[in-house]
Amino acid sequence: MTEFLYEINAKLSDAVNTAVRVEPMGRNTYRLITPFIFEDGDGFVAYLEKIDGKLRFTDRGHTIMHVSYKVDITSETRESILNSVLATHDLTYNDGEIFTEATLEDAGPAFWDFIQGLIRISDISQWKFERAASLFFEEFEVFMETKIRPSVPVLKEDWRDPSIDESGLYKIPWMCINGGKPLFVFPIQSNIHCDQAVKSCLKYDGVGYEFNSFAVFADIEKINRRSQNQLLDIGAQAVTSFDSQRKLRAEKIIVDHFNYLHS
Amino acid sequence: MMQLTDNEIEKLISESKTWPGRHKITFKREAGHKRAGKELETRSDNRFNVFIRQNARDPLDFSVGLVYMDRTTGEKIHLLRCNGPSHRHPNKIEGNDVDFTFHVHQATERYIIAGKEAEGWASGTDEYKDLDSALAYFAKRANIQPVPYIKKAPPEKPSLFE
């Protein structure tokens, strides 16, 4: 084994705390054999290339292609997942390929980030979740624009009162005023959305701002009990589902709620 | 997950299926790979899809898969998948490895029962050597007619020497 192979092998294995095999595949290319696998058992595709004195870890476009066997990787879903993973792990995306570059000294941490990024991107449940979330929010926006906007004089998306929320950490997804107290509307697809709604309500409530709140769950069954209770405890009314079967009923409840509050 | 026995899986794979329309594959390019798909026709009420992927950077990094969809629940299961040799495949239950060779995934009852991906089992094959021959093998294995192709249409009848 050459000195380089010995050194890189040790660095990569140390970085991910498991044995990594480095196999020369040509003058400047090495195949990396790791124990990391997709959910269907197929191993990750990972190569190390030496380019202009730098080391480049690349999946050669396999990861995204593999994910596409089971989920729709097109459009905004891909962007949403990739942007978050690439930013967290300092990776680059180019036409399906995910890669990162490093010096020999930094090879260990760069490889760790590379593998963590592939693990996150290959998580099929995340893609399904993001897709479902994206569809829910698209559907909800259409609903607010077509059913609610014509009935209320003021409807704002991602609203905040700068005197209360200077940094924009507690934005209200939809705020409607039709005389009386403002109505904060929270579309909720995950525990994170639910917890964020609670934080936003507490922020405004804490400074004595008067408002009513309304939560629209994509499916309340998928939200953990603690998050649900916190939101309902602060007085938010709620629609428990916005799926296609119960959407019409949910729309009626929301519209009636607006009419009732502002009649 | 959909519960299927090995017998039911084999029946679904070998059920007669028709490839509708042109059987020369036309690809779309997306995110560094070529992709194509087709919903198959059957005489039964069963619903099947085929997907084809090929890495634009590595023609031997490909996959051809047969997906069965349950009409009532909409749940999908990957019954069969022919892969290139771009990666290794450890079989989780058996504890053995398919090492960088052409391999075929097949759904199995034991993987379903174990709560793993149905098509988690794979075995090495020398039945094909590129995407075109993989498609021909896949069509034969999944009983699809006419046989779809990418470059050259397969003969309608076997040659005298086959």
Side-chain angles (χ1 to χ4, degrees), chain A residues 31 33-35 37-43 45 60-62 64-66 68-70 73-74 78 93-97, chain B residues 29-33 35 51 53-55 57 61-63 78 81 83 86-90 92 100 103 105 117 119-120:
Chain A
R31 182 159 70 188
I33 298 156
T34 74
I37 55 174
F38 292 90
E39 286 165 18
D40 62 9
D42 278 350
V45 171
R60 294 192 168 172
H62 180 83
I64 286 286
M65 182 178 88
H66 202 114
S68 83
Y69 304 162
K70 294 217 167 154
I73 54 130
T74 56
R78 182 172 75 213
Y93 174 84
N94 178 34
D95 189 29
E97 180 187 23
Chain B
R29 201 180 188 288
E30 172 88 39
H33 61 268
R35 54 193 294 148
F51 69 83
R53 303 282 185 272
Q54 186 177 37
N55 193 328
R57 292 174 179 84
D61 184 12
F62 63 78
S63 195
H78 287 223
R81 213 174 76 211
N83 277 8
S86 63
H87 53 271
R88 56 186 264 281
H89 175 88
K92 290 179 195 171
F100 295 98
H103 59 277
H105 287 252
E117 293 294 292
E119 78 282 21

Side-chain angles (χ1 to χ4, degrees), chain A residues 162-175:
Chain A
S163 67
I164 298 168
D165 177 16
E166 285 176 28
S167 55
L169 284 173
Y170 305 95
K171 277 185 187 166
I172 308 302
W174 293 89
M175 192 279 284

